[in-house]
Coordinates of all heavy atoms in Angstrom, one line a residue:
W97 N 343.3 233.9 144.0 CA 343.1 234.9 143.0 C 344.2 235.9 143.0 O 344.7 236.4 144.0 CB 341.8 235.7 143.4 CG 340.5 235.1 143.0 CD1 340.2 233.8 143.1 CD2 339.3 235.8 142.5 NE1 338.9 233.6 142.7 CE2 338.3 234.8 142.3 CE3 339.0 237.1 142.3 CZ2 337.0 235.1 141.9 CZ3 337.8 237.4 141.8 CH2 336.8 236.4 141.6
G98 N 344.6 236.4 141.8 CA 345.5 237.4 141.7 C 344.9 238.8 141.8 O 343.7 238.9 141.7
I99 N 345.7 239.8 142.2 CA 345.1 241.2 142.3 C 346.1 242.1 141.6 O 347.3 242.0 141.7 CB 345.0 241.6 143.7 CG1 344.1 240.7 144.5 CG2 344.5 243.1 143.8 CD1 344.0 241.0 146.0
A100 N 345.6 243.0 140.8 CA 346.4 244.1 140.2 C 345.7 245.4 140.5 O 344.4 245.5 140.5 CB 346.5 243.9 138.7
L101 N 346.5 246.5 140.7 CA 345.9 247.8 141.0 C 345.9 248.6 139.7 O 346.9 248.7 139.0 CB 346.9 248.5 142.0 CG 346.6 250.0 142.2 CD1 345.2 250.2 142.9 CD2 347.7 250.6 143.1
A102 N 344.7 249.1 139.4 CA 344.6 250.0 138.2 C 344.8 251.5 138.8 O 344.0 252.0 139.5 CB 343.2 249.9 137.6
A103 N 345.9 252.0 138.4 CA 346.3 253.3 138.9 C 346.3 254.4 137.8 O 346.8 254.1 136.7 CB 347.7 253.3 139.5
D104 N 345.7 255.5 138.1 CA 345.6 256.6 137.2 C 347.0 257.2 136.9 O 347.8 257.4 137.8 CB 344.7 257.7 137.7 CG 344.3 258.7 136.7 OD1 344.7 258.6 135.5 OD2 343.5 259.6 137.0
N105 N 347.3 257.4 135.6 CA 348.7 257.9 135.3 C 348.5 258.9 134.1 O 348.5 258.6 132.9 CB 349.6 256.8 134.8 CG 351.0 257.3 134.5 OD1 351.3 258.5 134.6 ND2 351.8 256.4 133.9
D106 N 348.3 260.2 134.5 CA 348.1 261.3 133.5 C 347.1 260.9 132.4 O 347.3 261.1 131.2 CB 349.5 261.6 132.8 CG 350.4 262.3 133.8 OD1 350.0 262.9 134.7 OD2 351.6 262.0 133.7
G107 N 345.9 260.5 132.9 CA 344.8 260.2 131.9 C 344.9 258.7 131.4 O 343.9 258.3 130.9
G108 N 346.0 258.0 131.6 CA 346.1 256.6 131.2 C 345.9 255.8 132.5 O 345.7 256.3 133.6
V109 N 346.1 254.5 132.3 CA 345.9 253.6 133.4 C 347.1 252.6 133.5 O 347.4 252.0 132.5 CB 344.6 252.7 133.4 CG1 344.6 251.7 134.5 CG2 343.4 253.6 133.4
D110 N 347.8 252.6 134.6 CA 348.9 251.7 134.8 C 348.3 250.5 135.6 O 347.5 250.7 136.5 CB 350.1 252.3 135.6 CG 350.9 253.3 134.8 OD1 350.8 253.2 133.6 OD2 351.5 254.2 135.4
L111 N 348.7 249.3 135.2 CA 348.3 248.1 136.0 C 349.5 247.6 136.8 O 350.5 247.1 136.2 CB 347.9 247.0 135.0 CG 346.7 247.4 134.1 CD1 346.4 246.3 133.0 CD2 345.5 247.7 134.9
L112 N 349.4 247.7 138.1 CA 350.5 247.4 139.0 C 350.2 246.1 139.8 O 349.1 246.0 140.4 CB 350.7 248.5 140.0 CG 350.8 249.9 139.4 CD1 350.8 251.0 140.5 CD2 352.0 250.0 138.5
P113 N 351.0 245.1 139.7 CA 350.7 243.8 140.4 C 350.7 244.0 141.9 O 351.6 244.6 142.5 CB 351.9 242.9 139.9 CG 352.9 243.8 139.4 CD 352.3 245.0 138.9
V114 N 349.7 243.4 142.5 CA 349.7 243.3 144.0 C 350.0 241.9 144.5 O 350.8 241.7 145.4 CB 348.3 243.7 144.5 CG1 348.1 243.6 146.0 CG2 347.9 245.2 144.1
R115 N 349.4 240.9 143.8 CA 349.8 239.5 144.1 C 349.5 238.7 142.8 O 348.5 239.0 142.1 CB 349.2 238.9 145.3 CG 347.7 238.6 145.2 CD 347.1 238.1 146.5 NE 345.8 237.6 146.3 CZ 344.8 237.6 147.2 NH1 345.1 238.0 148.4 NH2 343.6 237.1 147.0
P116 N 350.2 237.7 142.5 CA 350.0 236.9 141.3 C 348.9 235.9 141.5 O 348.6 235.4 142.7 CB 351.3 236.1 141.1 CG 351.9 236.0 142.5 CD 351.5 237.2 143.2
A117 N 348.2 235.5 140.5 CA 347.2 234.4 140.5 C 347.9 233.1 140.5 O 349.0 232.9 140.0 CB 346.3 234.5 139.3
T118 N 347.3 232.1 141.3 CA 347.8 230.8 141.3 C 346.7 229.8 140.9 O 345.6 230.2 140.8 CB 348.3 230.4 142.7 OG1 347.3 230.6 143.7 CG2 349.5 231.3 143.1
P119 N 347.0 228.5 140.6 CA 346.0 227.6 140.1 C 344.8 227.5 141.0 O 345.0 227.4 142.3 CB 346.7 226.3 139.9 CG 348.1 226.7 139.7 CD 348.3 227.9 140.6
N120 N 343.6 227.4 140.5 CA 342.4 227.2 141.2 C 342.3 225.7 141.7 O 342.3 224.8 141.0 CB 341.2 227.4 140.3 CG 339.9 227.3 140.9 OD1 339.7 226.9 142.1 ND2 338.8 227.5 140.1
P121 N 342.1 225.6 143.1 CA 342.0 224.2 143.6 C 340.6 223.7 143.7 O 340.3 222.6 144.2 CB 342.6 224.4 145.0 CG 342.2 225.8 145.4 CD 342.2 226.6 144.1
T122 N 339.6 224.5 143.3 CA 338.2 224.1 143.5 C 337.3 224.1 142.3 O 336.2 224.6 142.3 CB 337.6 225.1 144.6 OG1 337.7 226.5 144.0 CG2 338.3 225.1 145.9
I123 N 337.8 223.6 141.2 CA 337.0 223.6 140.0 C 335.8 222.6 140.1 O 336.0 221.5 140.5 CB 337.9 223.3 138.7 CG1 338.9 224.5 138.5 CG2 337.1 223.1 137.5 CD1 339.9 224.2 137.5
D124 N 334.7 223.0 139.6 CA 333.4 222.2 139.6 C 333.2 221.7 138.2 O 332.8 222.5 137.3 CB 332.3 223.1 140.1 CG 331.0 222.4 140.2 OD1 330.8 221.4 139.4 OD2 330.1 222.8 141.0
P125 N 333.3 220.4 138.0 CA 333.1 219.9 136.6 C 331.8 220.2 136.0 O 331.7 220.5 134.8 CB 333.3 218.4 136.8 CG 334.1 218.2 138.0 CD 333.7 219.3 138.9
F126 N 330.7 220.2 136.8 CA 329.4 220.5 136.2 C 329.3 221.9 135.7 O 328.8 222.2 134.6 CB 328.3 220.3 137.3 CG 326.9 220.7 136.8 CD1 326.4 220.1 135.7 CD2 326.2 221.7 137.5 CE1 325.1 220.5 135.3 CE2 325.0 222.0 137.0 CZ 324.4 221.4 135.9
L127 N 329.9 222.9 136.4 CA 329.8 224.3 135.9 C 330.7 224.5 134.7 O 330.4 225.3 133.8 CB 330.2 225.3 137.0 CG 329.0 225.9 137.7 CD1 328.6 225.1 138.9 CD2 329.2 227.3 138.1
V128 N 331.8 223.7 134.7 CA 332.7 223.8 133.5 C 331.9 223.2 132.3 O 331.9 223.8 131.2 CB 334.0 223.0 133.7 CG1 334.8 222.8 132.4 CG2 334.8 223.6 134.8

Side-chain angles (χ1 to χ4, degrees):
W97 277 41
I99 302 175
L101 171 65
D104 197 356
N105 181 7
D106 292 330
V109 176
D110 289 337
L111 301 174
L112 309 174
V114 175
R115 74 181 189 209
T118 57
N120 179 359
T122 57
I123 293 174
D124 181 333
F126 174 60
L127 263 94
V128 173

